[in-house]
Amino acid sequence: MKIGIFDSGIGGLTVFREISKRLPSFELIYLGDTARLPYGIKSKKTVNKYSDNNVRFLKSLGCEIIVIACNTASSYSTDLLKRKYKFPIFDVLSAGVAASLESEAKRIGVIGTSSTIESNTYQRTLKKRKKSIKIIAKACPMLVPIIEQGLAKENYSKIIIKNNLALLKKSKVEALILGCTHYPLIKNEIKKFLGPRVILVDSAEEISKSLFKYLKTNHPKEFTKYKKKRRIYVTDKSSYFERASKKIFKNIEVEIKLVDIK
Ligand code: DGL
C-alpha cells in the first residue's frame, strides 16, 4: 500500500521521517512542491490549486492514502480535498488539535505561517472541540526562512525566535502547537525560550500515531517484516534541498527526483 505525503518544501520531511520510522512496511512517496514554495504567504485559492495538483500527482503514482504534511495546506484545503477525493486524507492540523486537547492544557498557543493563522482554522477547530480553552495564536513568518537556510543557531535568529514567541511566554501558555511542519526542526530552541513546562505539540509525531492506528485497524495485513521503498519528488531540485534532506535523514539514502506538476 502506497502512502503519499506532501508539503511545500523541507518542513514535511519531519512528518515523512516519523511516518517512515513507524510504518517501515508501507511504501512512502513524498512530494515537496519546492518550485512554488512558500505556501505560507499565499491565498486560499492558490494553496487550494497547489494542494489539488499535489494530490492528483500522488494519486497518479498509485497512492491510496494522502497525508497533508503542511499546516497551510491543511488549514485551507483539507475540506476541499476530502470532498473531491474518495481515499483517506490525514492532515497535520487535526492531529495537532487532538493532541493539544489531550494534554488537558487550558491555555493553548498556536504558531504558524501568516496564512495558517489568518485562515483561523486552528482557532475555529479548537474552539469547536472545547469552548472553555483560551487560544493565543501568533503568526511567525520569519521562522520558516531561518529554518530553511539552516540559520536557527545564529545569534540574530535567537532574537527572532525570542521576538516571535514573547507573546506566548507572556500569555503563559501551557501547550504550544507547532503549527508549521518546519518548526519541529527548532524544537530545542523553542523549548529553551519557553521553558520545560510548556508542552510542545509536534504534529509530525501525532499524525504518524493516528495513521498507525488507522492502518492497524483497517489494513493489518500490510504490517509485514519487509521494508518498503521511500521516494522523494520535488518540483525544483536544488543542492540546498538535497543538503537539507540529508541532514534530516542522516544516514538514510533517499533518492530525490525532479517532477513537473500542474
Ligand atoms: N511547511 C509549511 C507549513 O506547515 C510552511 C512552509 C511554507 O510557507 O511553504 O505551513
Side-chain angles (χ1 to χ4, degrees):
M1 168 166 263
K2 289 181 193 163
I3 302 173
I5 304 164
F6 79 85
D7 179 39
S8 56
I10 64 160
L13 288 174
T14 59
V15 178
F16 184 65
R17 180 177 59 187
E18 286 303 315
I19 295 176
S20 187
K21 272 196 261 172
R22 224 172 267 265
L23 299 168
S25 65
F26 287 79
E27 190 171 337
L28 302 183
I29 303 176
Y30 182 86
L31 171 65
D33 190 12
T34 41
R36 301 189 290 195
L37 123 178
Y39 281 14
I41 50 166
K42 303 229 159 64
S43 68
K44 179 171 183 168
K45 195 174 167 206
T46 300
V47 175
N48 277 348
K49 186 174 105 188
Y50 293 173
S51 299
D52 186 38
N53 295 161
N54 297 342
V55 175
R56 202 145 25 101
F57 170 73
L58 291 166
K59 189 178 168 219
S60 75
L61 298 181
C63 293
E64 293 164 83
I65 293 181
I66 295 293
V67 174
I68 311 174
C70 170
N71 286 270
T72 311
S74 295
S75 305
Y76 278 149
S77 319
T78 303
D79 290 347
L80 171 94
L81 297 177
K82 281 190 173 166
R83 272 199 308 273
K84 188 159 176 185
Y85 297 94
K86 297 282 166 282
F87 40 65
I89 294 181
F90 288 76
D91 69 287
V92 278
L93 188 144
S94 310
V97 165
S100 67
L101 293 174
E102 265 168 40
S103 77
E104 304 271 314
K106 291 182 183 66
R107 305 171 72 77
I108 298 179
V110 187
I111 52 173
T113 63
S114 303
S115 297
T116 296
I117 300 303
E118 268 168 38
S119 77
N120 213 31
T121 315
Y122 263 112
Q123 298 90 313
R124 221 180 34 238
T125 315
L126 279 163
K127 271 281 176 213
K128 209 162 126 192
R129 298 270 306 267
K130 199 170 176 186
K131 255 207 174 101
S132 61
I133 49 162
K134 170 105 181 117
I135 304 158
I136 299 97
K138 171 92 172 68
C140 300
M142 287 301 288
L143 297 186
V144 168
I146 61 171
I147 296 166
E148 287 268 348
Q149 297 303 321
L151 302 171
K153 290 205 161 54
E154 299 293 326
N155 273 333
Y156 56 83
S157 298
K158 281 183 198 144
I159 299 169
I160 295 172
I161 294 170
K162 207 171 138 181
N163 254 296
N164 277 279
L165 301 180
L167 173 74
L168 289 308
K169 193 169 185 169
K170 204 171 131 213
S171 310
K172 296 193 168 51
V173 295
E174 295 155 87
L176 177 67
I177 301 177
L178 304 177
C180 171
T181 47
H182 281 68
Y183 300 166
L185 297 168
I186 55 162
K187 218 176 186 176
N188 291 340
E189 286 80 359
I190 295 176
K191 192 142 202 104
K192 215 162 151 186
F193 178 70
L194 290 180
R197 266 195 245 141
V198 178
I199 302 160
L200 298 186
V201 179
D202 175 351
S203 43
E205 244 171 74
E206 298 309 325
I207 201 164
S208 62
K209 281 188 213 158
S210 40
L211 190 56
F212 180 90
K213 226 159 123 187
Y214 170 82
L215 293 168
K216 269 279 178 203
T217 313
N218 295 283
H219 301 279
K221 288 201 182 109
E222 300 277 341
F223 286 80
T224 63
K225 59 179 189 319
Y226 303 108
K227 276 198 173 153
K228 289 276 171 60
K229 264 203 297 203
R230 272 91 186 86
R231 273 184 281 166
I232 294 181
Y233 289 91
V234 287
T235 51
D236 178 55
K237 196 173 175 182
S238 62
S239 55
Y240 161 70
F241 185 88
E242 294 202 33
R243 269 200 314 278
S245 60
K246 277 203 182 104
K247 225 178 180 175
I248 294 178
F249 284 103
K250 301 253 160 50
N251 302 321
I252 309 169
E253 273 301 313
V254 191
E255 194 192 343
I256 302 173
K257 283 190 189 152
L258 182 66
V259 280
D260 190 12
I261 58 165
K262 271 176 206 85

